[in-house]
């Protein structure tokens, strides 16, 4: 049975109907510099993306001009939800990542790509170029993909090496590295503590933000946080 086609204009009208002015103001405060927010809550975006993923969405995906933040988010979610083989999905991911312009689209997209858990080796290889990217959100994409899908012992050393190789100077790239290292710390405290105490090559900002993220975690015990605080004080 032929799937129903969807146009960019139809999708935009659906989003306009879901918009909430109060939420637009609230969410805008979380995304400084993003001034094209409609104010559609994430659960509604997810529901619409799941609906679109069952339709003939590829023409819309290619034609969308992404005037609004939610249109970009919706395209990413649709890629993640649509049924396709992993090779096709990786091709769509590669096309979509350059469209990412803020941390919210990046992080939500990464978290929703459940395919990465089924095809670990293929995604691991696919991600390699993003760690050396000079684009802020491409570098963040690589880091957030690691913390979302590769917090496993067999990837620990490689993940730390990849995170340390990120040299992109943007705030959101550096914060993603710090966040990822703090997530690995929770899973592998001894190994990551030894790394932070010894042979790391992180810049000062990223190092200190990593320690801060660890201190903010509810999954790190008081004794370990005392060690981290001492490391911060030593600078």
């Amino acid at each position: 049975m032929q799937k129903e086609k969807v146009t960019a204009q139809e999708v935009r009208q659906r989003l306009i109907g879901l918009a909430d002015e109060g939420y637009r103001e609230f969410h805008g405060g979380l995304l400084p510099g993003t001034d094209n927010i409609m104010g559609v809550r994430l659960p509604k975006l997810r529901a619409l993306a799941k609906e679109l993923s069952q339709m003939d969405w590829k023409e819309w995906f290619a034609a969308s001009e992404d005037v609004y933040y939610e249109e970009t988010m919706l395209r990413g979610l649709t890629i993640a939800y649509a049924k396709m083989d992993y090779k096709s999905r990786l091709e769509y991911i590669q096309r979509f990542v350059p469209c990412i312009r803020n941390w919210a689209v990046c992080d939500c997209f990464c978290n929703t790509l459940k395919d990465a858990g089924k095809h670990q080796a293929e995604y691991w290889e696919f991600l390699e170029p993003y760690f050396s990217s000079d684009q802020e959100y491409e570098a963040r994409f690589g880091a957030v993909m690691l913390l979302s899908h590769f917090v496993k012992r067999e990837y620990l050393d490689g993940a730390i090496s990849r995170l340390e190789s990120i040299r992109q100077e943007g705030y959101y790239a550096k914060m993603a590295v710090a966040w990822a290292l703090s997530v690995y710390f929770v899973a592998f405290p001894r190994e990551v503590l030894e790394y932070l105490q010894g042979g790391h090559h992180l810049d000062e900002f990223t190092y200190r933000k990593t320690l801060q993220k660890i201190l903010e975690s509810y999954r790190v015990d008081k004794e370990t946080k005392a060690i981290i605080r001492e490391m911060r004080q030593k600078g």
Side-chain angles (χ1 to χ4, degrees), residues 175-195:
M175 288 300 293
V177 173
W179 179 23
L181 286 170
S182 74
V183 171
Y184 276 94
F185 183 92
V186 170
F188 307 104
R190 179 179 60 81
E191 294 88 344
V192 180
L193 181 60
E194 288 178 359
Y195 161 74

Side-chain angles (χ1 to χ4, degrees), residues 2-19:
Q2 190 172 12
K3 292 184 177 181
E4 182 184 351
K5 276 195 173 185
V6 61
T7 68
Q9 186 60 36
E10 288 169 344
V11 172
R12 186 171 296 166
Q13 288 302 312
R14 290 286 300 276
L15 288 170
I16 290 171
L18 295 171

Side-chain angles (χ1 to χ4, degrees), residues 4-85:
E4 182 184 351
K5 276 195 173 185
V6 61
T7 68
Q9 186 60 36
E10 288 169 344
V11 172
R12 186 171 296 166
Q13 288 302 312
R14 290 286 300 276
L15 288 170
I16 290 171
L18 295 171
D20 178 333
E21 177 62 24
Y23 184 70
R24 185 189 69 79
E25 294 180 6
F26 166 76
H27 199 50
L30 302 176
L31 293 171
T34 304
D35 55 6
N36 62 339
I37 298 171
M38 286 180 168
V40 182
R41 295 176 185 272
L42 184 56
K44 292 184 177 181
L45 284 172
R46 288 192 181 279
L48 180 54
K50 289 177 181 177
E51 180 183 335
L52 292 172
S53 73
Q54 301 296 316
M55 301 171 71
D56 184 354
W57 55 269
K58 294 180 180 179
E59 190 174 314
W60 155 67
F61 180 92
S64 178
E65 297 177 353
D66 288 3
V67 171
Y68 296 101
Y69 151 80
E70 284 86 352
E71 291 177 307
T72 307
M73 179 74 87
L74 195 60
R75 286 202 303 136
L77 292 174
T78 302
I79 294 171
Y81 288 133
K83 289 183 179 180
M84 67 181 88
D85 61 73

Side-chain angles (χ1 to χ4, degrees), residues 182 185-186 214-215 217-222 224-225 228:
S182 74
F185 183 92
V186 170
I214 293 170
L215 290 173
S217 174
Y218 293 110
R219 296 190 289 167
V220 177
D221 60 56
K222 292 181 180 180
T224 303
K225 285 187 176 181
I228 299 298

